[in-house]
Amino acid sequence: MKTAVTDDFFDVIIVGGGVMGSATAYHAAKRGLRTLLLEQFDFLHHRGSSHGESRTIRATYPQHHYYSLVMESYTLWQQAQAQIGYTVYFPAHHLDIGPAQDPILRAVIDNCRRHNMPHEVLNRRQLAAKFPGRIDIPDDWIGIFNRLGGIIKPTKAVAMFQSLAHKNGAVLKDKAEVIDIKKDAENGVVVYASNGESYRGRKCVVTVGAWVNKLVKKVSGIELPIQPLETHVFYWRVKEGHERDFAVGGDFPTFASCSGEGGIYVYGTPTLEFPGLVKVAVHGGNPCDPDKRPWGSGFRVEDLKKWIQARFMGLVDSSEPVVKQACMYSMTPDEDFIVDFLGGEFGKDVVVGGGFSGHGFKMAPVIGRILTELAVDGFASGVDITPFRISRFIMNSRI
C-alpha cells in the first residue's frame, strides 16, 4: 500500500480515542500543543473499555499510590464538566464490605488512616442501622463507609474530552487504525495508519486499551503482560415501591465487596441510568482476543445472583438481570497500570498508557495529564510513576 504522508507536523500524536487517549488530547490541546487524536474504529464505539452508562469513582484503595490520583481526578472531572456545560460526575457515598480479616479491607482501612480520610468501620448491626432493610452482611464481615464515592457517565465523558480537545484546536480522526510507529530520521516519530496515511510528530502516546499489547509488540518487539478480558455489567430490577431507596442522590452508596478466599469481587452503583434498575457486576472476565470477541453470556453470573440475594434482603430481584452490557478489561498481573516511556530506540518519544485492569476509568483526567507531561516534558509533576513502570515485568524483547 502506498503511504500518503500528511503535511502537518504535530507536537503530540495520541493513538487510541477511548477515555485515556481523549483525556490526553484534552490536556495536550489545552496547553496549546498541536495535537492529533487517532481512533481505529468510530469515535464512541462499543468495542473497548470506554463506553456504557456508568463507572464508579472511589478513593478507597488498598494500594497507597492511587489515593492522590483519585483525589486529583475528583477535581479534574468537575473542572472539565464545568468547561463543557453538562454533568458527567454524580456524587455518592461509598461502601466497601467483606470479611473483617480480609487483607484487602485491612489495607483499605490502613490507607484511610494514612491519608486522614474520614471513614466509618461498621459491624453488621451498625451497617443495618445505616441502611435499614437494604443491605445485610454476615456477622464476621464489616463495612467501610465514606463520602468519597460517585458515578461517572463514561460515553458522555469521552465525548466531553473529545469536544474540549477539539475546541482547543486538536485534530480528531476516527477510522484510522494505526499499524506501525517508527522513528523519524529527522525528528520525532512517524505514525502509519491502515488507510495508507501517515502522520509525523515530535511525540506519540499509545492508549489503545485491549489492543495495546498487539501494537506495542509490532512496534518495538516488547511483549507487555496485558491480558484482554471480556467482562459484563448487569442491571437488576429493584422491587416495586423501593426504587427511591436505591437511587443516586439519596443515601444509597456506590459499593464494592470482597467475598474472601475463592470468592468474587462484586461492585455496583445506585440507580441512575435505568430507572428502577441497580447495577451489580463482578470484577473480572474471560480471556479473549479483542479482534475475535466471543460476546459471551457473562462471568460467574450464578455466583453474582447468590451474592445479590444474600446482600439486598430481597429488595433486588436476583433471578435474572434485566440489562446486560459487554465491555473489555486490559489486565496486568498485579492489576496496576502501565504508564511509562516505551524506551529502546524510541527513548522518551513514545509513551504507553495501558493495562488499566478494570479500575482506571475514574482516574482518566489525571492519567491524561500525566501522559501529556511525560510525552512533552519528559516527567510528570507531583507523581511517582514507579508502580507503573514497564520494567517491573520480565519482558521478551528484540531491542
Side-chain angles (χ1 to χ4, degrees):
M1 179 183 293
K2 185 177 180 181
T3 300
V5 181
T6 61
D7 293 332
D8 293 324
F9 187 83
F10 295 93
D11 294 311
V12 59
I13 300 172
I14 299 142
V15 183
V19 72
M20 298 302 179
S22 299
T24 304
Y26 159 68
H27 281 283
K30 192 170 66 167
R31 288 182 56 169
L33 301 169
R34 180 68 173 158
T35 303
L36 172 64
L37 176 64
L38 299 173
E39 166 55 48
Q40 64 174 324
F41 305 120
D42 288 315
F43 282 131
L44 307 181
H45 66 85
H46 284 213
R47 294 180 61 177
S49 307
S50 296
H51 63 282
E53 301 299 327
S54 64
R55 297 289 189 277
T56 300
I57 182 168
R58 59 183 171 87
T60 49
Y61 268 87
Q63 307 96 328
H64 70 85
H65 46 265
Y66 288 113
Y67 176 78
S68 62
L69 300 182
V70 175
M71 296 309 293
E72 182 177 347
S73 291
Y74 276 112
T75 300
L76 295 177
W77 280 118
Q78 292 174 80
Q79 289 178 352
Q81 70 180 14
Q83 293 167 25
I84 199 67
Y86 54 73
T87 303
V88 299
Y89 161 63
F90 295 81
H93 300 156
H94 183 74
L95 177 69
D96 294 284
I97 60 175
Q101 299 307 315
D102 185 276
I104 293 177
L105 284 188
R106 303 316 303 181
V108 166
I109 293 172
D110 288 343
N111 269 331
C112 287
R113 293 168 177 166
R114 174 176 182 166
H115 297 290
N116 296 314
M117 186 195 311
H119 66 286
E120 301 174 48
V121 179
L122 308 171
N123 60 28
R124 183 183 188 183
R125 177 183 55 80
Q126 293 166 327
L127 187 65
K130 185 172 284 291
F131 302 104
R134 287 175 289 173
I135 301 177
D136 187 30
I137 57 175
D139 286 328
D140 60 348
W141 282 31
I142 59 172
I144 307 168
F145 174 81
N146 74 92
R147 300 184 181 278
L148 292 176
I151 301 173
I152 305 294
K153 297 282 283 184
T155 301
K156 198 175 178 183
V158 176
M160 174 186 73
F161 285 131
Q162 291 175 359
S163 297
L164 290 173
H166 184 264
K167 182 180 179 180
N168 283 281
V171 177
L172 279 62
K173 291 180 178 289
D174 62 1
K175 295 186 177 296
E177 179 190 11
V178 170
I179 56 175
D180 206 356
I181 303 168
K182 294 187 180 298
K183 280 286 292 182
D184 192 327
E186 298 178 5
N187 182 31
V189 297
V190 182
V191 176
Y192 296 88
S194 60
N195 61 8
E197 294 187 343
S198 63
Y199 311 93
R200 296 174 58 244
R202 289 186 176 85
K203 305 288 183 177
C204 180
V205 178
V206 176
T207 56
V208 291
W211 290 265
V212 67
N213 199 28
K214 289 187 175 187
L215 182 58
V216 167
K217 186 176 181 180
K218 172 68 165 57
V219 168
S220 67
I222 295 175
E223 188 161 359
L224 300 174
I226 294 176
Q227 175 62 61
L229 302 180
E230 183 178 78
T231 188
H232 293 80
V233 296
F234 300 102
Y235 293 85
W236 310 78
R237 191 180 304 280
V238 177
K239 293 294 179 65
E240 188 174 355
H242 294 277
E243 292 86 353
R244 293 185 64 180
D245 294 333
F246 290 84
V248 72
D251 67 344
F252 195 76
T254 56
F255 56 90
S257 170
C258 306
S259 296
E261 186 68 28
I264 57 175
Y265 186 94
V266 175
Y267 67 95
T269 62
T271 296
L272 174 61
E273 51 269 46
F274 299 115
L277 305 185
V278 62
K279 174 182 170 180
V280 192
V282 176
H283 176 69
N286 296 308
C288 73
D289 181 333
D291 292 312
K292 300 176 182 179
R293 292 273 294 277
W295 302 101
S297 58
F299 177 70
R300 300 191 69 171
V301 180
E302 293 306 313
D303 291 330
L304 182 58
K305 291 178 181 180
K306 295 175 184 176
W307 187 96
I308 293 170
Q309 187 176 22
R311 299 285 78 82
F312 291 141
M313 306 180 74
L315 296 185
V316 176
D317 184 353
S318 62
S319 59
E320 288 295 334
V322 180
V323 176
K324 180 184 79 170
Q325 296 178 339
C327 190
M328 292 292 296
Y329 279 3
S330 303
M331 302 294 290
T332 63
D334 56 12
E335 298 194 21
D336 278 331
F337 309 156
I338 290 177
V339 179
D340 200 2
F341 302 104
L342 184 54
E345 65 174 313
F346 294 101
K348 292 187 174 183
D349 288 343
V350 176
V351 178
V352 178
F356 292 103
S357 300
H359 65 101
F361 197 103
K362 65 179 73 68
M363 289 172 264
V366 70
I367 295 297
R369 174 185 73 79
I370 291 168
L371 291 171
T372 298
E373 291 181 359
L374 288 176
V376 177
D377 304 325
F379 65 94
S381 60
V383 178
D384 179 11
I385 67 167
T386 301
F388 311 128
R389 293 282 192 187
I390 296 173
S391 59
R392 73 187 192 271
F393 302 117
I394 298 173
M395 299 174 299
N396 297 316
S397 174
R398 69 166 183 252
I399 59 175

